[in-house]
Amino acid sequence: PPPGGSDEFEGFGAQTSGGVGKPIVFIDNLNDSGTGSLRAALSAGDRTVQFLVSGTIQLASVLRVMGANVTIDGCTAPDFGITLTGNSLQVRGVNGAHDVIIQCLRVRNTVGDGISVTEGTFNVVIDRVSVANTGDGAIDITGWNGLPTRDITVQRSILSQPKKNMLIKYVPIRRVSIHHNLFEGSIDRNPRMNYEDQVAPEITADVRNNLVANW
């Protein structure tokens, strides 16, 4: 099994350590910020985030993972789980975020992307999430400002909205795995991969066993 502790992780991101072996931080409320909130828990790295509550967290601003070696384990929430709404969840290398696992979350009705993986992050697994009705892409994976985003897996997830589901673009991006996902109800990007030929001619992409429906 990969270091993340699950033999169900596959693809280029599967070597992620996530928050395995790190302290557990418990979420005990649905507030946007403050003690016991998800935002407070993601303000530093080296932790596994678990939930004592279920329900909807209305995000007043973008929610960023602000450190490395982090697991957001929505599978631990009681019945009905955790839904994020209003703003994006971002994993950005410029914030020190790498070796991140995101599991069992719903993301709905965001201003921008639902989940954004960008700016030099690496070793990221997004597993069993549901993202719908976002202002831009459901899950976008991008390189930006010359920072190489690499070794990313999105697996066993549902991406659904009327516009566009997933963009994998901008340089540099290396080693992306997209497997066993449902892309539903989108006009475009199921997923779309595009690279800037004048800068780098290729991307290694592992795209398999996905279902595209009602496009």
Side-chain angles (χ1 to χ4, degrees), residues 142-157:
T142 58
W144 203 253
N145 294 327
L147 299 173
T149 300
R150 60 177 175 83
D151 297 306
I152 312 297
T153 291
V154 179
Q155 63 172 44
R156 297 182 172 89
S157 293

Side-chain angles (χ1 to χ4, degrees), residues 22-200:
K22 305 300 182 182
I24 296 175
V25 176
F26 291 103
I27 308 305
D28 63 10
N29 63 69
L30 300 173
N31 298 337
D32 172 71
S33 61
T35 302
S37 70
L38 180 58
R39 192 180 300 274
L42 297 181
S43 64
D46 297 317
R47 56 194 56 196
T48 290
V49 177
Q50 297 186 356
F51 294 84
L52 301 177
V53 293
S54 63
T56 298
I57 300 174
Q58 179 72 43
L59 298 175
S61 59
V62 170
L63 178 64
R64 296 187 173 99
V65 180
M66 300 298 292
N69 307 311
V70 173
T71 294
I72 307 172
D73 188 0
C75 307
T76 60
D79 289 347
F80 308 113
I82 291 292
T83 300
L84 307 179
T85 187
N87 271 285
S88 301
L89 172 60
Q90 292 187 352
V91 182
R92 302 171 66 194
V94 291
N95 294 326
H98 63 80
D99 287 277
V100 175
I101 299 169
I102 300 170
Q103 294 180 289
C104 302
L105 294 179
R106 287 186 295 270
V107 182
R108 297 287 187 271
N109 305 318
T110 61
V111 174
D113 296 337
I115 299 176
S116 176
V117 180
T118 189
E119 290 190 277
T121 192
F122 57 92
N123 294 350
V124 176
V125 169
I126 299 174
D127 172 50
R128 288 174 287 167
V129 304
S130 170
V131 186
N133 298 321
T134 58
D136 199 2
I139 300 176
D140 278 4
I141 303 167
T142 58
W144 203 253
N145 294 327
L147 299 173
T149 300
R150 60 177 175 83
D151 297 306
I152 312 297
T153 291
V154 179
Q155 63 172 44
R156 297 182 172 89
S157 293
I158 300 171
L159 293 79
S160 178
Q161 61 175 48
K163 293 182 180 179
K164 46 195 177 184
N165 272 328
M166 177 181 286
L167 179 66
I168 302 169
K169 190 179 179 182
Y170 306 118
V171 296
I173 300 174
R174 304 185 183 113
R175 298 184 296 273
V176 176
S177 295
I178 311 296
H179 70 86
H180 295 92
N181 300 289
L182 170 62
F183 294 91
E184 191 276 334
S186 176
I187 294 171
D188 194 9
R189 304 183 182 181
N190 291 304
R192 178 181 177 183
M193 295 193 177
N194 192 20
Y195 222 77
E196 312 297 341
D197 289 341
Q198 70 273 22
V199 179

